[in-house]
């Protein structure tokens, strides 16, 4: 790619990861463009609770997560390896953990079954010792997505990448089936390769070049309690806790508890919707109420803040990483979570530079796997995965 220029649209955690990995591999003609001002993250990155779980029922997702942890752990103070607890409230779920232990062993991920009392001791307030037991994954943890993104931006910038802020990209420039740049309010920025890493805004921007991004944005509730006397406010030391049978997850945030739920009908968001919009009380509040009854510390805690996250679903629950089939020179790094952002950036950079670690199968993540799908077909296939995606991510 000597003499070529890569423009990355989006400086959230995925775009920052792409820029970091390109420059780490020695490719420095990289320009990252973002609509926001530097230091603010109003999109999905800024609202993400930062959970990073490596074990997945899908091997490629697990490998992306392993690459992400390796990247985040190299940034001092960014990754907190507090572990994750998957709590079983039935004997069937507890028995099913044996498969997770075997899957983890095959990937080099330590996972073991522990008693409910052991789990409650690791995460007091988040686990009821009347549960059947738990799967403990010691190497999992959490990050501050905003801090990690800032660190990756600093890394890429230090190796030569440029960043342009407060510059909304209005459309993609395309000629004879090839992308030629991006249009801003004050003119066109030329590029040989354009990478879209704008999350839920991807379909809207790609459509300006006649490209359909096969994903559906959905809204998702997350809530914070009022400060609790049971928490010291120290850095995260307690494991992340998930209840697979109930699609509920929770963690501590300083002196507050935070929790989210997928236990509700999916709520599609308009293309280009803004994360953090008005809370969907009728749909989300019953789900959060059920979550509070499940988790001991939440039963009596006051909920002080509720937010809407917005993320993207694909028909097979996997991210979109690779070239867009319709327009040459346009690449996608879309539908990725914080859990996989480090690995997605690495994979895309490797593909652009003709490199390969051989650990992740690029064909399984290529946007071309949905070539010819209508938007209606994409939505009908993707939305039923809303609750299931909790189990693979």
């Amino acid at each position: 790619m000597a003499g070529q220029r890569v423009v990355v649209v989006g400086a959230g955690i995925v775009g920052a990861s792409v820029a970091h990995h390109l420059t780490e591999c020695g490719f420095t003609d990289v320009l990252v463009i973002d609509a926001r001002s530097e230091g603010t993250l109003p999109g999905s990155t800024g609202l993400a609770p930062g959970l990073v779980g490596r074990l997945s029922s899908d091997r490629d997702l697990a490998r992306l997560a392993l690459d992400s942890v390796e990247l985040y752990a190299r940034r001092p103070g960014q990754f907190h390896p507090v572990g994750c607890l998957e709590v079983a409230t039935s004997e069937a779920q507890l028995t099913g953990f044996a498969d997770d232990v075997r899957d983890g062993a095959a990937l080099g991920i330590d996972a073991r079954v522990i008693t409910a009392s052991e789990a409650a001791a690791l995460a007091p307030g988040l686990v009821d010792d009347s549960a059947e037991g738990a799967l403990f994954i010691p190497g999992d943890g959490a990050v501050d997505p905003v801090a990690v993104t800032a660190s990756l931006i600093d890394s890429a910038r230090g190796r030569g990448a440029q960043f342009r802020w407060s510059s909304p990209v209005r459309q993609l420039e395309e000629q004879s089936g090839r992308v030629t740049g991006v249009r801003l309010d004050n003119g066109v920025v030329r590029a040989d390769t354009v990478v879209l890493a704008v999350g839920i805004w991807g379909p809207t921007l790609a459509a300006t070049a006649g490209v359909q991004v096969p994903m559906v944005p959905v809204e998702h509730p997350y809530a914070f309690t009022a400060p609790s006397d049971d928490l010291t406010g120290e850095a995260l030391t307690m494991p992340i806790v998930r209840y697979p049978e109930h699609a509920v997850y929770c963690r501590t945030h300083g002196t507050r508890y935070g929790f989210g739920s997928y236990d509700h009908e999916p709520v599609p968001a308009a293309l280009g919707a803004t994360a953090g919009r008005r809370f969907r009380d009728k749909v989300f509040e019953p789900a959060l109420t059920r979550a509070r009854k499940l988790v001991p510390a939440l039963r009596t805690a006051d909920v002080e803040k509720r937010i809407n996250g917005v993320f993207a679903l694909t028909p097979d629950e996997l991210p979109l990483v690779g070239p867009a089939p319709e327009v040459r020179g346009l690449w996608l790094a879309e539908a990725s979570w914080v859990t996989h952002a480090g690995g997605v950036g690495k994979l895309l950079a490797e593909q652009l530079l003709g490199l390969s670690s051989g650990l992740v199968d690029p064909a399984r993540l290529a946007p071309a796997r949905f070539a010819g799908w209508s938007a209606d077909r994409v939505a009908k296939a993707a939305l039923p995965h809303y609750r299931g995606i909790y189990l693979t991510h």
Side-chain angles (χ1 to χ4, degrees), residues 103-261:
D103 290 343
L107 292 163
I109 298 173
D110 178 24
R112 54 185 181 268
V113 177
I114 63 176
T115 66
S117 59
E118 289 173 323
L122 289 170
L126 296 182
V127 181
D128 196 321
D129 59 13
S130 64
E132 294 294 329
L135 179 72
F136 182 43
I137 312 167
D140 285 357
V143 296
D144 178 341
V146 175
V148 168
T149 302
S151 177
L152 293 173
I153 288 171
D154 288 344
S155 171
R157 182 184 278 142
R159 293 192 180 99
Q162 296 180 315
F163 287 78
R164 184 175 297 184
W165 306 99
S166 303
S167 301
V169 173
R170 300 304 182 186
Q171 70 178 57
L172 302 177
E173 294 291 300
E174 176 262 336
Q175 184 175 2
S176 301
R178 182 172 186 84
V179 71
T180 58
V182 298
R183 181 172 293 278
L184 311 180
D185 289 334
N186 59 353
V188 174
V189 175
R190 297 298 175 186
D192 301 284
T193 300
V194 173
V195 178
L196 293 186
V198 287
I200 57 176
W201 296 277
T204 301
L205 192 51
T208 65
V211 174
Q212 179 187 334
V213 178
M215 67 187 208
V216 180
V218 291
E219 300 181 20
H220 175 69
Y222 194 78
F224 298 86
T225 69
S228 171
D229 293 336
D230 295 332
L231 301 176
T232 63
E234 298 176 0
L236 184 65
T237 57
M238 194 181 297
I240 307 302
V241 174
R242 304 204 307 175
Y243 288 82
E245 297 158 286
H246 306 275
V248 168
Y249 62 98
C250 47
R251 58 161 291 185
T252 59
H253 297 270
T255 60
R256 305 173 190 272
Y257 295 102
F259 64 105
S261 173

Side-chain angles (χ1 to χ4, degrees), residues 46-69:
L47 294 176
L51 282 60
V52 181
R54 300 161 302 152
L55 188 57
S56 168
S57 59
D58 186 277
R59 292 178 65 86
D60 283 325
L61 282 180
R63 291 186 178 107
L64 289 174
L66 285 165
D67 282 342
S68 296
V69 168

Side-chain angles (χ1 to χ4, degrees), residues 293-311:
K293 292 178 180 178
L294 185 68
V295 182
L298 304 182
R299 292 169 189 158
T300 56
D302 293 327
V303 176
E304 195 167 86
K305 181 180 180 181
R306 298 167 174 83
I307 61 174
N308 276 13
V310 182
F311 62 85

Side-chain angles (χ1 to χ4, degrees), residues 78-120:
Q78 301 298 322
F79 178 65
H80 303 280
V82 293
C84 176
L85 288 166
E86 301 269 358
V87 181
T89 58
S90 71
E91 289 187 11
Q93 178 66 66
L94 187 63
T95 301
F97 285 153
D99 292 335
D100 296 310
V101 172
R102 285 193 295 269
D103 290 343
L107 292 163
I109 298 173
D110 178 24
R112 54 185 181 268
V113 177
I114 63 176
T115 66
S117 59
E118 289 173 323

